[in-house]
Coordinates of all heavy atoms in Angstrom, one line a residue:
M1 N -12.4 26.9 10.1 CA -12.8 26.6 8.7 C -11.6 26.5 7.8 O -10.6 27.2 7.9 CB -13.8 27.7 8.2 CG -14.3 27.4 6.8 SD -15.6 28.5 6.3 CE -17.0 27.8 7.1
R2 N -11.7 25.6 6.9 CA -10.6 25.3 6.0 C -10.5 26.4 4.9 O -11.5 27.0 4.5 CB -10.7 24.0 5.3 CG -10.7 22.9 6.3 CD -10.7 21.5 5.7 NE -10.7 20.5 6.6 CZ -9.6 20.0 7.3 NH1 -8.5 20.6 7.1 NH2 -9.7 19.1 8.2
S3 N -9.3 26.6 4.4 CA -9.2 27.6 3.3 C -9.7 27.0 2.0 O -9.9 25.8 1.9 CB -7.7 27.9 3.1 OG -7.0 26.8 2.5
P4 N -10.0 27.8 1.0 CA -10.5 27.3 -0.3 C -9.6 26.2 -0.9 O -10.0 25.2 -1.5 CB -10.6 28.5 -1.2 CG -10.9 29.6 -0.2 CD -10.0 29.3 1.0
L5 N -8.3 26.4 -0.8 CA -7.3 25.5 -1.3 C -7.4 24.1 -0.5 O -7.4 23.1 -1.2 CB -5.9 26.0 -1.2 CG -4.8 25.1 -1.8 CD1 -5.0 24.8 -3.2 CD2 -3.4 25.8 -1.6
Q6 N -7.6 24.2 0.8 CA -7.7 23.0 1.6 C -9.0 22.2 1.2 O -9.0 21.0 1.1 CB -7.7 23.3 3.1 CG -6.3 23.7 3.6 CD -6.4 24.2 5.0 OE1 -7.3 24.9 5.3 NE2 -5.4 23.8 5.8
R7 N -10.0 23.0 1.0 CA -11.3 22.4 0.6 C -11.2 21.7 -0.8 O -11.6 20.5 -0.9 CB -12.4 23.5 0.4 CG -12.8 24.1 1.7 CD -13.8 25.2 1.5 NE -13.9 26.0 2.7 CZ -14.5 27.2 2.7 NH1 -15.0 27.7 1.6 NH2 -14.6 27.8 3.8
Q8 N -10.5 22.3 -1.7 CA -10.3 21.7 -3.0 C -9.5 20.5 -2.9 O -9.7 19.5 -3.6 CB -9.7 22.7 -4.0 CG -9.7 22.2 -5.4 CD -11.1 21.8 -5.9 OE1 -12.0 22.6 -5.8 NE2 -11.2 20.7 -6.5
H9 N -8.5 20.5 -2.0 CA -7.6 19.4 -1.8 C -8.4 18.2 -1.3 O -8.2 17.0 -1.7 CB -6.5 19.7 -0.9 CG -5.3 18.8 -0.9 ND1 -4.6 18.5 -2.0 CD2 -4.7 18.2 0.1 CE1 -3.6 17.7 -1.7 NE2 -3.7 17.4 -0.4
L10 N -9.3 18.4 -0.4 CA -10.2 17.4 0.2 C -11.1 16.9 -0.9 O -11.3 15.6 -1.0 CB -11.0 17.9 1.4 CG -12.0 17.0 2.0 CD1 -11.4 15.7 2.5 CD2 -12.8 17.7 3.1
I11 N -11.7 17.7 -1.6 CA -12.6 17.3 -2.7 C -11.9 16.4 -3.7 O -12.4 15.4 -4.2 CB -13.3 18.5 -3.4 CG1 -14.3 19.1 -2.4 CG2 -14.0 18.1 -4.7 CD1 -14.9 20.4 -2.8
N12 N -10.7 16.8 -4.1 CA -9.8 16.0 -5.0 C -9.5 14.6 -4.4 O -9.6 13.6 -5.1 CB -8.5 16.7 -5.3 CG -8.7 17.9 -6.2 OD1 -9.8 18.1 -6.9 ND2 -7.8 18.8 -6.2
Y13 N -9.2 14.6 -3.1 CA -8.9 13.3 -2.5 C -10.2 12.4 -2.5 O -10.1 11.2 -2.9 CB -8.5 13.5 -1.0 CG -8.5 12.3 -0.2 CD1 -7.5 11.3 -0.4 CD2 -9.5 12.0 0.7 CE1 -7.5 10.2 0.3 CE2 -9.5 10.8 1.5 CZ -8.5 9.9 1.3 OH -8.5 8.7 2.0
L14 N -11.3 13.0 -2.1 CA -12.6 12.2 -2.1 C -12.9 11.7 -3.5 O -13.3 10.6 -3.7 CB -13.7 13.1 -1.6 CG -13.6 13.5 -0.1 CD1 -14.7 14.5 0.2 CD2 -13.6 12.3 0.8
S15 N -12.7 12.5 -4.5 CA -13.1 12.2 -5.8 C -12.1 11.2 -6.5 O -12.5 10.2 -7.0 CB -13.2 13.4 -6.7 OG -13.5 13.1 -8.0
H16 N -10.8 11.6 -6.4 CA -9.8 10.8 -7.2 C -9.4 9.5 -6.4 O -9.2 8.5 -6.9 CB -8.6 11.6 -7.5 CG -9.0 12.8 -8.4 ND1 -9.3 12.6 -9.7 CD2 -9.1 14.1 -8.2 CE1 -9.6 13.7 -10.3 NE2 -9.5 14.7 -9.4
D17 N -9.1 9.7 -5.1 CA -8.5 8.6 -4.3 C -9.6 7.6 -3.8 O -9.4 6.4 -3.8 CB -7.7 9.1 -3.1 CG -6.5 9.8 -3.6 OD1 -6.3 10.1 -4.8 OD2 -5.7 10.2 -2.7
L18 N -10.8 8.2 -3.4 CA -11.8 7.3 -2.9 C -12.9 7.0 -3.9 O -13.7 6.1 -3.7 CB -12.5 7.9 -1.7 CG -11.6 8.0 -0.4 CD1 -12.4 8.5 0.8 CD2 -11.0 6.6 -0.1
G19 N -12.9 7.7 -5.1 CA -13.8 7.4 -6.1 C -15.2 7.8 -5.9 O -16.2 7.2 -6.4
I20 N -15.4 8.8 -5.0 CA -16.8 9.3 -4.7 C -17.2 10.1 -5.9 O -16.5 11.1 -6.3 CB -16.8 10.1 -3.4 CG1 -16.4 9.2 -2.3 CG2 -18.2 10.7 -3.2 CD1 -16.1 9.9 -1.0
P21 N -18.4 9.8 -6.5 CA -18.9 10.6 -7.7 C -19.1 12.0 -7.4 O -19.5 12.4 -6.3 CB -20.2 9.9 -8.0 CG -20.1 8.5 -7.4 CD -19.3 8.7 -6.1
Y22 N -18.9 12.9 -8.4 CA -19.1 14.3 -8.3 C -20.5 14.7 -7.7 O -20.6 15.5 -6.9 CB -18.8 15.0 -9.6 CG -19.0 16.4 -9.6 CD1 -18.1 17.3 -9.2 CD2 -20.2 17.0 -10.2 CE1 -18.3 18.7 -9.2 CE2 -20.4 18.3 -10.2 CZ -19.4 19.2 -9.7 OH -19.6 20.5 -9.7
D23 N -21.5 14.0 -8.3 CA -22.9 14.3 -7.8 C -23.0 14.0 -6.3 O -23.7 14.8 -5.6 CB -23.9 13.5 -8.6 CG -23.9 13.9 -10.1 OD1 -23.5 15.0 -10.4 OD2 -24.4 13.1 -10.9
S24 N -22.4 13.0 -5.8 CA -22.5 12.6 -4.4 C -21.8 13.7 -3.6 O -22.3 14.1 -2.5 CB -21.9 11.3 -4.1 OG -22.6 10.3 -4.8
L25 N -20.7 14.2 -4.1 CA -20.0 15.3 -3.4 C -20.8 16.5 -3.3 O -20.9 17.2 -2.3 CB -18.6 15.5 -4.0 CG -17.6 14.4 -3.9 CD1 -16.3 14.8 -4.7 CD2 -17.2 14.2 -2.4
Q26 N -21.5 16.8 -4.4 CA -22.3 18.0 -4.5 C -23.5 17.9 -3.5 O -23.8 18.9 -2.8 CB -22.9 18.3 -5.9 CG -21.8 18.7 -6.9 CD -21.0 19.9 -6.4 OE1 -21.6 20.9 -6.0 NE2 -19.7 19.8 -6.4
V27 N -24.1 16.7 -3.3 CA -25.1 16.5 -2.3 C -24.6 16.8 -0.9 O -25.2 17.5 -0.2 CB -25.7 15.1 -2.4 CG1 -26.6 14.8 -1.2 CG2 -26.5 14.9 -3.7
G28 N -23.4 16.3 -0.6 CA -22.8 16.5 0.7 C -22.5 17.9 0.9 O -22.8 18.4 2.0
I29 N -22.0 18.6 -0.1 CA -21.6 20.0 0.1 C -22.9 20.9 0.3 O -22.9 21.7 1.2 CB -20.8 20.5 -1.1 CG1 -19.4 19.9 -1.2 CG2 -20.7 22.0 -1.1 CD1 -18.7 20.0 -2.5
R30 N -23.9 20.6 -0.4 CA -25.2 21.3 -0.2 C -25.7 21.1 1.2 O -26.4 22.0 1.8 CB -26.2 20.9 -1.2 CG -26.1 21.5 -2.5 CD -27.4 21.4 -3.4 NE -27.8 20.0 -3.5 CZ -27.4 19.2 -4.5 NH1 -26.5 19.6 -5.4 NH2 -27.8 17.9 -4.6
H31 N -25.5 20.0 1.8 CA -26.1 19.7 3.1 C -25.1 20.0 4.3 O -25.5 19.7 5.4 CB -26.5 18.2 3.2 CG -27.8 18.0 2.4 ND1 -27.7 17.6 1.1 CD2 -29.1 18.1 2.7 CE1 -28.9 17.5 0.6 NE2 -29.8 17.8 1.5
C32 N -24.0 20.6 4.0 CA -23.1 21.0 5.1 C -23.5 22.3 5.8 O -23.0 22.6 6.8 CB -21.7 21.2 4.5 SG -20.8 19.7 4.2
H33 N -24.4 23.0 5.1 CA -24.9 24.2 5.7 C -23.8 25.2 6.1 O -23.7 25.7 7.2 CB -25.8 24.0 6.9 CG -27.0 23.1 6.6 ND1 -28.0 23.5 5.8 CD2 -27.2 21.8 6.9 CE1 -28.9 22.5 5.7 NE2 -28.4 21.4 6.3
D34 N -22.9 25.4 5.1 CA -21.8 26.4 5.3 C -20.7 26.0 6.3 O -19.9 26.8 6.7 CB -22.3 27.8 5.6 CG -23.2 28.4 4.5 OD1 -22.9 28.0 3.3 OD2 -24.1 29.1 4.7
V35 N -20.8 24.8 6.8 CA -19.7 24.3 7.7 C -19.0 23.1 6.9 O -19.3 21.9 7.1 CB -20.3 23.8 9.0 CG1 -19.2 23.3 10.0 CG2 -21.2 24.9 9.7
F36 N -18.1 23.5 6.1 CA -17.4 22.5 5.2 C -16.8 21.4 5.9 O -16.7 20.3 5.4 CB -16.5 23.3 4.3 CG -16.0 22.4 3.1 CD1 -16.7 22.3 2.0 CD2 -14.7 21.8 3.3 CE1 -16.3 21.4 1.0 CE2 -14.3 21.0 2.2 CZ -15.0 20.8 1.1
D37 N -16.3 21.7 7.1 CA -15.6 20.6 7.9 C -16.5 19.4 8.2 O -16.0 18.4 8.5 CB -15.0 21.2 9.2 CG -13.8 22.1 8.9 OD1 -13.3 22.1 7.8 OD2 -13.5 22.9 9.8
R38 N -17.8 19.6 8.1 CA -18.7 18.5 8.3 C -18.9 17.6 7.1 O -19.6 16.6 7.2 CB -20.1 19.1 8.7 CG -20.2 19.8 10.0 CD -21.5 20.3 10.3 NE -22.6 19.6 9.8 CZ -23.3 18.6 10.4 NH1 -23.1 18.3 11.6 NH2 -24.3 18.0 9.8
L39 N -18.3 17.9 6.0 CA -18.5 17.2 4.8 C -18.3 15.7 4.9 O -19.2 14.9 4.5 CB -17.6 17.7 3.6 CG -17.8 17.0 2.3 CD1 -19.2 17.1 1.8 CD2 -16.8 17.5 1.3
P40 N -17.2 15.2 5.5 CA -17.1 13.7 5.6 C -18.3 13.1 6.4 O -18.8 12.0 6.0 CB -15.8 13.6 6.4 CG -15.0 14.8 6.1 CD -16.1 15.9 6.0
V41 N -18.7 13.7 7.5 CA -19.8 13.1 8.3 C -21.1 13.2 7.5 O -21.9 12.3 7.6 CB -19.9 13.8 9.7 CG1 -21.1 13.4 10.4 CG2 -18.6 13.6 10.5
V42 N -21.3 14.3 6.8 CA -22.6 14.4 6.0 C -22.6 13.4 4.9 O -23.6 12.7 4.7 CB -22.7 15.9 5.4 CG1 -23.8 15.9 4.4 CG2 -22.9 16.9 6.5
L43 N -21.5 13.1 4.3 CA -21.4 12.1 3.3 C -21.8 10.7 3.9 O -22.5 9.9 3.3 CB -20.0 12.1 2.6 CG -19.7 13.2 1.7 CD1 -18.2 13.2 1.3 CD2 -20.6 13.3 0.5
W44 N -21.3 10.5 5.0 CA -21.6 9.2 5.7 C -23.0 9.1 6.1 O -23.7 8.1 5.9 CB -20.6 9.0 6.9 CG -21.0 7.9 7.8 CD1 -20.8 6.5 7.4 CD2 -21.6 7.9 9.0 NE1 -21.2 5.7 8.5 CE2 -21.7 6.5 9.4 CE3 -22.0 8.9 9.9 CZ2 -22.3 6.2 10.7 CZ3 -22.6 8.6 11.1 CH2 -22.7 7.2 11.5
Q45 N -23.6 10.2 6.7 CA -25.0 10.2 7.1 C -25.9 10.0 6.0 O -27.0 9.3 6.2 CB -25.3 11.6 7.8 CG -24.7 11.8 9.1 CD -25.0 13.2 9.7 OE1 -25.1 14.1 8.9 NE2 -25.1 13.3 11.0
Y46 N -25.6 10.4 4.8 CA -26.5 10.2 3.6 C -26.1 8.9 2.9 O -26.7 8.7 1.8 CB -26.3 11.4 2.7 CG -27.2 12.6 3.2 CD1 -26.6 13.5 4.0 CD2 -28.5 12.7 2.8 CE1 -27.4 14.6 4.5 CE2 -29.3 13.8 3.2 CZ -28.7 14.7 4.1 OH -29.5 15.8 4.5
G47 N -25.3 8.1 3.5 CA -24.9 6.8 2.9 C -24.1 6.9 1.6 O -24.1 6.0 0.8
L48 N -23.4 8.0 1.5 CA -22.6 8.2 0.3 C -21.1 7.7 0.4 O -20.4 7.6 -0.5 CB -22.6 9.7 -0.1 CG -24.0 10.3 -0.4 CD1 -23.9 11.8 -0.6 CD2 -24.6 9.6 -1.6
V49 N -20.7 7.5 1.7 CA -19.5 6.8 2.0 C -19.7 5.8 3.1 O -20.6 6.0 3.9 CB -18.3 7.8 2.4 CG1 -18.0 8.8 1.3 CG2 -18.7 8.5 3.7
S50 N -18.9 4.8 3.1 CA -19.1 3.7 4.2 C -18.3 4.2 5.4 O -17.6 5.1 5.4 CB -18.5 2.4 3.7 OG -17.1 2.6 3.5
L51 N -18.6 3.5 6.5 CA -17.9 3.8 7.7 C -16.4 3.6 7.6 O -15.6 4.4 8.1 CB -18.4 2.9 8.9 CG -17.8 3.2 10.3 CD1 -18.1 4.6 10.7 CD2 -18.5 2.2 11.3
T52 N -16.0 2.6 6.8 CA -14.5 2.4 6.5 C -14.0 3.6 5.8 O -12.9 4.1 6.1 CB -14.3 1.1 5.7 OG1 -14.9 0.0 6.4 CG2 -12.9 0.8 5.4
Q53 N -14.7 4.1 4.7 CA -14.2 5.2 4.0 C -14.2 6.5 4.9 O -13.3 7.3 4.8 CB -15.2 5.5 2.8 CG -15.0 4.5 1.7 CD -16.0 4.7 0.6 OE1 -17.2 4.8 0.9 NE2 -15.6 4.8 -0.6
L54 N -15.1 6.6 5.8 CA -15.1 7.7 6.7 C -13.9 7.7 7.6 O -13.2 8.7 7.8 CB -16.4 7.7 7.6 CG -16.5 8.9 8.6 CD1 -16.6 10.2 7.9 CD2 -17.8 8.6 9.5
E55 N -13.5 6.5 8.1 CA -12.3 6.4 8.9 C -11.1 6.8 8.0 O -10.1 7.4 8.5 CB -12.2 5.0 9.4 CG -13.2 4.7 10.5 CD -13.2 3.2 10.9 OE1 -12.5 2.4 10.3 OE2 -14.0 2.9 11.8
E56 N -11.0 6.3 6.8 CA -9.9 6.7 5.9 C -9.8 8.2 5.7 O -8.7 8.8 5.6 CB -10.1 6.0 4.5 CG -9.9 4.5 4.5 CD -10.1 3.9 3.2 OE1 -9.9 4.5 2.1 OE2 -10.6 2.8 3.1
I57 N -11.0 8.8 5.5 CA -11.0 10.3 5.3 C -10.4 11.0 6.6 O -9.6 11.9 6.5 CB -12.4 10.8 5.1 CG1 -12.9 10.2 3.7 CG2 -12.5 12.3 5.1 CD1 -14.4 10.4 3.5
F58 N -10.9 10.5 7.8 CA -10.3 11.1 9.0 C -8.8 10.9 9.1 O -8.1 11.8 9.6 CB -11.1 10.6 10.2 CG -12.5 11.2 10.4 CD1 -13.5 10.4 10.9 CD2 -12.8 12.5 10.1 CE1 -14.8 10.9 11.0 CE2 -14.0 13.0 10.2 CZ -15.1 12.2 10.7
D59 N -8.4 9.7 8.8 CA -6.9 9.4 8.8 C -6.2 10.4 7.8 O -5.2 10.9 8.2 CB -6.7 8.0 8.4 CG -7.1 7.0 9.5 OD1 -7.3 7.4 10.7 OD2 -7.2 5.8 9.2
W60 N -6.7 10.5 6.7 CA -6.1 11.4 5.7 C -6.1 12.9 6.2 O -5.1 13.6 6.0 CB -6.9 11.3 4.3 CG -6.3 12.2 3.3 CD1 -5.3 11.8 2.4 CD2 -6.7 13.5 2.9 NE1 -5.1 12.9 1.5 CE2 -5.9 13.9 1.8 CE3 -7.7 14.4 3.4 CZ2 -6.1 15.1 1.2 CZ3 -7.9 15.6 2.8 CH2 -7.0 16.0 1.7
L61 N -7.2 13.3 6.8 CA -7.3 14.7 7.3 C -6.2 14.9 8.4 O -5.7 16.0 8.5 CB -8.7 15.0 7.8 CG -9.7 15.2 6.7 CD1 -11.1 15.3 7.4 CD2 -9.5 16.5 6.0
E62 N -6.0 13.9 9.2 CA -5.0 14.1 10.2 C -3.6 14.3 9.6 O -2.7 14.9 10.3 CB -5.0 12.9 11.2 CG -6.1 12.8 12.1 CD -6.1 11.6 13.0 OE1 -5.1 10.8 13.0 OE2 -7.0 11.5 13.8
Q63 N -3.3 13.7 8.5 CA -2.0 13.8 7.9 C -1.7 15.0 7.1 O -0.6 15.4 6.8 CB -1.8 12.6 6.9 CG -1.8 11.3 7.6 CD -1.7 10.1 6.7 OE1 -1.6 10.2 5.5 NE2 -1.8 8.9 7.2
V64 N -2.8 15.7 6.7 CA -2.6 17.0 5.9 C -2.6 18.2 6.8 O -2.9 18.3 7.8 CB -3.6 17.2 4.8 CG1 -3.5 16.1 3.7 CG2 -5.0 17.2 5.3

């Protein structure tokens, strides 16, 4: 599981770099069921990010 700082860094990336609205992020976080690492996939499953954005997120996660 990621540290709180890593989680915030991911949320900042999703919000600022990819432009995902705060409300969409909150929906994803609520549906992660305490497994925060699932957030990118949950966002994609709910149609809140595209497949291209999901790939970008995974690429970004590999670099941090």
Side-chain angles (χ1 to χ4, degrees):
M1 182 172 280
R2 296 186 184 280
S3 73
L5 182 59
Q6 290 171 318
R7 292 177 194 166
Q8 189 57 50
H9 197 55
L10 174 59
I11 290 171
N12 288 341
Y13 169 74
L14 295 171
S15 176
H16 298 290
D17 294 8
L18 292 185
I20 300 170
Y22 177 79
D23 292 340
S24 297
L25 292 174
Q26 291 304 310
V27 169
I29 290 168
R30 277 195 306 272
H31 288 90
C32 282
H33 304 290
D34 297 327
V35 184
F36 191 82
D37 289 342
R38 291 180 30 97
L39 180 60
V41 174
V42 169
L43 291 171
W44 174 72
Q45 287 176 326
Y46 281 88
L48 302 171
V49 298
S50 67
L51 186 56
T52 302
Q53 288 174 311
L54 181 62
E55 291 172 356
E56 288 178 35
I57 295 166
F58 287 143
D59 290 342
W60 182 85
L61 286 169
E62 285 181 5
Q63 295 174 4
V64 293

